[in-house]
Amino acid sequence: MSHLILRSARRIPHTKRLFVSASIRLMSTQFTNILTSRPEPGVALITLNRPKALNALSSPLMNELSQALKEFDSDPQIGAIVVTGSEKAFAAGADIKEMKDKQFADVIKENWLGNWSDMTRIQKPIIAAVSGFALGGGCELAMMCDIILASPTAKFGQPEIELGIIPAGGATQRLTHAIGKSRAMEIILTGRHFSAQEAEKWGLISRVVGDGEGVVVKEAVEIAKTIAGKGQIAVQTAKETVNAAYELSLAEGLRLERRLFHGLFATQDQKEGMAAFTEKRKAVFTHL
């Protein structure tokens, strides 16, 4: 088996081989709907893996994703996490086959989709690397991440209205915050898809990366690697502060920012970072 893997790896271009080899070595055996790997020091990569269903977000997949995120969040060796899908689909939506026969009582008693918010409680930064379709729940999943990178092929949208329902994974709130009421209304009420270029123009995503298979994942991993090289306490504090801007008034947000800034002066990383700056050397953070 090892000879077959090596022969196959040699046929893969070098830029992609790093990701493939890492996945082969470190792929988790406990999951069936996702793949996990560590392509760079400090970086975790989670790949949605239901290709025949265009990575439709079934309950088993979301449970596995939540478990993997929590495990990486508690791993001191990991500083940032990348979530991606395939070239064809980041995630084409929630699993309609799973939900189509459910009744009102079922979704109430099961708190249907309630566990999706688990992702927003992860402390470490999460970067979405989006190619292909990111529709419905897939678009909402991307919006729950902290940074979104998209390939030129990415297509976003909230087509739930076509099914006689509304979004339930946060789109009515997060999309409105990101792109404004009028655009969010149009997208949600018509169900139309929008391009990566529109998403970038509207401020929904960080940027559109270059064309080519695997480029968006490579770029996301590079950003995650950069973040992982910083002090984890400062990174997690910064994430908390930025997210608070969605819920607090300006005065409350500024007060929180200042208090958390003050708190960082109790860390060893603050002492090391400022000493390294004055000594003109690279900081060596210990995350303490």
Side-chain angles (χ1 to χ4, degrees), residues 218-272:
K218 183 176 183 296
E219 290 284 340
V221 168
E222 283 300 312
I223 292 178
K225 182 181 177 182
T226 298
I227 294 171
K230 314 301 182 186
Q232 288 183 14
I233 300 173
V235 166
Q236 292 176 26
T237 300
K239 171 176 172 171
E240 178 184 353
T241 311
V242 172
N243 282 333
Y246 280 95
E247 300 176 4
L248 302 179
S249 68
L250 178 59
E252 291 170 331
L254 291 172
R255 189 176 301 113
L256 174 67
E257 177 188 78
R258 189 166 58 253
R259 289 292 177 257
L260 293 177
F261 166 76
H262 291 161
L264 289 171
F265 279 76
T267 68
Q268 294 178 23
D269 279 353
Q270 175 267 330
K271 302 297 184 291
E272 166 61 14

Side-chain angles (χ1 to χ4, degrees), residues 113-243:
L113 304 186
N115 66 334
W116 283 35
S117 60
D118 289 351
M119 189 173 182
T120 63
R121 290 189 281 272
I122 299 300
Q123 289 185 285
K124 292 172 183 175
I126 305 172
I127 303 167
V130 179
S131 291
F133 296 114
L135 305 177
C139 187
E140 291 172 311
L141 181 66
M143 288 192 288
M144 282 189 276
C145 296
D146 301 301
I147 299 171
I148 306 174
L149 298 186
S151 74
T153 67
K155 291 289 183 185
F156 299 88
Q158 298 294 155
E160 288 87 350
I161 202 76
E162 306 287 354
L163 304 174
I165 56 174
I166 65 171
T172 62
Q173 307 304 302
R174 292 191 180 93
L175 191 64
T176 303
H177 275 295
I179 68 175
K181 175 185 173 181
S182 183
R183 288 194 184 108
M185 279 287 193
E186 179 188 353
I187 295 301
I188 291 170
L189 298 185
T190 66
R192 86 167 179 90
H193 301 176
F194 55 98
S195 68
Q197 292 73 24
E198 287 176 295
E200 181 181 40
K201 179 181 177 182
W202 298 342
L204 179 65
I205 69 174
S206 178
R207 58 189 167 92
V208 180
V209 304
D211 201 1
E213 185 176 352
V215 171
V216 70
V217 177
K218 183 176 183 296
E219 290 284 340
V221 168
E222 283 300 312
I223 292 178
K225 182 181 177 182
T226 298
I227 294 171
K230 314 301 182 186
Q232 288 183 14
I233 300 173
V235 166
Q236 292 176 26
T237 300
K239 171 176 172 171
E240 178 184 353
T241 311
V242 172
N243 282 333

Side-chain angles (χ1 to χ4, degrees), residues 53-68:
L54 296 179
N55 292 329
L57 302 175
S58 63
S59 293
L61 185 151
M62 291 303 295
N63 289 337
E64 290 182 8
L65 176 60
S66 178
Q67 181 183 341

Side-chain angles (χ1 to χ4, degrees), residues 8 24 34-35 68 72 75 84 91-92 100 105 135 154 203 205-206 231 242 254 272:
S8 297
I24 290 170
I34 63 173
L35 308 175
F72 285 132
D75 187 337
T84 192
K100 67 182 182 66
L135 305 177
I205 69 174
S206 178
V242 172
L254 291 172
E272 166 61 14

